[in-house]
Amino acid sequence: MISGLATMAFGASAESDLKELTQKWLDAYVKADTAFLKTVEADDWTFVDSDGTIVAKAKDIKELEDKTFVCKSASASDLKVKTMGDNHAYVSGMVKMTGTYKGEDFNGEFRSIDIFEKKDGKWQAVYSQITKVGKDKD
């Protein structure tokens, strides 16, 4: 019974921590806070964009720094966290974003999944993917 309670506590803590981390990550895009991105994205982090483009951490950070990608707003909803052992979890949900990419406006909703690994007591994203939902909204 005690081990079961410990597992429940770990799961609740991980769920809360990862939901909070997800929103902080989105906030970092809005604030162009590349220092935060450098801590949350693992060095080998891979992102698959809604058009199938694969983006590595260095490109993600560079595009935010040089304003190729400008995020004006970002929010998450319907977040679900699934832990897989003590050091792995994923977060899935909906993300709404507005901004510009290469000078073109975007406004969309995306299904997202982020896979995290706990390294040295800290959660880091190792893989992310988004899928566009519906059409662009004006």
Side-chain angles (χ1 to χ4, degrees), residues 52-72:
T53 303
I54 297 174
V55 178
K57 177 180 180 174
K59 182 178 180 185
D60 188 50
I61 290 168
K62 180 185 178 302
E63 287 187 339
L64 196 59
E65 285 175 337
D66 69 14
K67 300 195 184 318
T68 299
F69 174 68
V70 175
C71 187
K72 295 177 183 173

Side-chain angles (χ1 to χ4, degrees), residues 80-106:
K80 293 179 177 46
V81 177
K82 171 72 174 160
T83 55
M84 301 172 289
D86 291 343
N87 296 314
H88 295 88
Y90 69 84
V91 179
S92 62
M94 291 292 296
V95 172
K96 287 185 180 184
M97 295 182 101
T98 64
T100 60
Y101 184 69
K102 296 183 178 179
E104 296 291 322
D105 288 337
F106 70 86

